[in-house]
């Protein structure tokens, strides 16, 4: 029993250590995204002591897009996504087991000690996933903020009225901004769940299997059929 307890304690520590490393990476990504969103604002750039430039030239737009791509790829990517996907898959597995136990006999569900352990693990994993989902969602909002490009387009239109002799050059920059806006919309991955990069298989399992199990539990507890 002592050896079994020590083994489970070590495995639990290793698992939560990997989750803490993943959370730290997500915090770094959010910091980079936050500073990146302040580059085109003179006041915020001065406040955080970062470089500042406006998107009024094609060269500046190219630099802005290249910097965005570089910051999104900075740091560990695949290893952190594997950790997050593994945690998500483990949480789904525990949720599925708990739903099956409730459907089998919800009156005797809490009488078993291992069910309490499942509930503790599920609560810890859900808290961790909610934290990562919040960080990931805020990071995506910073990188996918189309209002920056729209603001620059408005500034270009106003500058066209003041400087009609540069209308052709400013029109070219405006067209590049429009294409950049479409590009940012197309780059959003379809397999994202509140900012978390998900494997397509896990994404489909979440939509089909888990939602079906949850609807079965709700139908059993309420007494009438509910399809999620």
């Amino acid at each position: 029993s002592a050896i079994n307890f020590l083994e489970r304690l070590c495995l639990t520590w290793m698992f939560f250590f990997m989750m803490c490393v993943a959370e730290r990476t997500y915090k770094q990504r959010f910091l980079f995204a936050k500073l990146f969103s302040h580059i085109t604002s003179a006041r915020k750039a001065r406040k955080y002591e970062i470089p500042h430039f406006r998107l009024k030239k094609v060269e500046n737009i190219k630099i802005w897009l290249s910097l965005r791509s570089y910051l999104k790829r900075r740091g560990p990517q695949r290893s952190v996504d594997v950790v997050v996907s593994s945690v998500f898959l483990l949480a789904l597995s525990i949720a599925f087991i708990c739903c099956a136990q409730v459907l089998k006999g919800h009156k005797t569900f809490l009488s078993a000690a291992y069910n309490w352990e499942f509930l503790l693990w599920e609560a810890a994993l859900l808290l961790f996933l909610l934290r990562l989902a919040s960080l990931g969602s805020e990071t995506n909002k910073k990188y996918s903020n189309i209002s920056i490009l729209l603001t620059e387009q408005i500034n270009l239109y106003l500058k066209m009225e003041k400087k009609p002799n540069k209308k052709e050059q400013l029109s070219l920059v405006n067209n590049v901004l429009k294409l950049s806006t479409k590009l940012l919309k197309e780059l959003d991955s379809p397999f994202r769940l509140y900012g978390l990069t998900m494997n397509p298989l896990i994404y489909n399992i979440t939509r089909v299997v888990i939602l079906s199990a949850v609807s079965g539990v709700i139908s059993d507890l309420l007494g009438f059929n509910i399809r999620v």
Side-chain angles (χ1 to χ4, degrees):
S1 299
I3 294 176
N4 186 19
F5 175 77
L6 290 176
E7 288 179 350
R8 294 171 68 180
L9 183 63
C10 292
L11 290 175
T12 303
W13 180 84
M14 292 173 59
F15 193 79
F16 279 92
F17 175 77
M18 289 190 297
M19 292 195 298
C20 291
V21 172
E23 183 180 4
R24 182 183 178 185
T25 303
Y26 269 72
K27 288 181 179 179
Q28 290 179 349
R29 293 179 183 177
F30 174 69
L31 178 61
F32 293 151
K34 180 181 177 181
L35 295 178
F36 174 76
S37 65
H38 297 336
I39 287 178
T40 55
S41 175
R43 180 179 58 84
K44 294 180 179 179
R46 192 183 308 111
K47 178 181 178 181
Y48 291 96
E49 298 180 355
I50 58 177
H52 163 67
F53 58 88
R54 301 292 298 275
L55 304 180
K56 58 183 180 180
K57 297 181 180 179
V58 178
E59 292 78 8
N60 292 354
I61 299 174
K62 291 170 61 177
I63 294 174
W64 188 81
L65 292 174
S66 301
L67 182 60
R68 179 183 182 274
S69 177
Y70 171 75
L71 292 178
K72 290 195 71 174
R73 295 196 308 265
R74 182 178 174 84
Q77 298 289 330
R78 183 173 299 178
S79 58
V80 174
D81 292 338
V82 168
V83 172
V84 176
S85 298
S86 302
V87 172
F88 193 82
L89 186 60
L90 179 60
L92 292 183
S93 302
I94 295 176
F96 184 78
I97 293 174
C98 292
C99 290
Q101 293 289 336
V102 171
L103 290 175
K104 184 178 180 181
H106 61 272
K107 294 183 179 179
T108 59
F109 175 73
L110 296 178
S111 60
Y114 59 86
N115 286 332
W116 283 99
E117 186 175 356
F118 280 146
L119 290 177
L120 291 176
W121 268 92
E122 185 70 12
L125 295 178
L126 287 179
L127 288 175
F128 171 76
L129 289 175
L130 286 175
R131 173 64 175 165
L132 289 190
S134 176
L135 291 173
S137 178
E138 292 297 326
T139 303
N140 284 341
K141 287 181 181 179
K142 297 294 183 182
Y143 281 126
S144 303
N145 190 6
I146 309 298
S147 61
I148 296 176
L149 301 179
L150 296 178
T151 303
E152 295 295 336
Q153 290 183 32
I154 294 175
N155 293 332
L156 287 176
Y157 281 121
L158 295 176
K159 190 172 291 186
M160 286 180 189
E161 295 182 356
K162 294 181 179 179
K163 299 180 180 180
N165 56 331
K166 295 184 178 181
K167 186 175 182 180
E168 183 178 355
Q169 180 182 358
L170 296 176
S171 298
L172 176 61
V173 178
N174 185 44
N175 292 333
V176 175
L177 283 175
K178 290 181 180 180
L179 292 176
S180 301
T181 304
K182 294 181 180 179
L183 177 63
L184 295 184
K185 292 180 180 179
E186 292 292 333
L187 287 178
D188 290 335
S189 174
F191 300 108
R192 283 188 176 272
L193 187 63
Y194 291 100
L196 300 179
T197 303
M198 304 304 301
N199 186 286
L201 178 61
I202 299 177
Y203 185 83
N204 293 325
I205 289 175
T206 306
R207 293 180 56 189
V208 180
V209 179
I210 300 302
L211 291 181
S212 300
V214 171
S215 64
V217 171
I218 296 176
S219 301
D220 183 70
L221 293 178
L222 297 181
F224 54 89
N225 292 329
I226 294 179
R227 180 174 295 179
V228 180

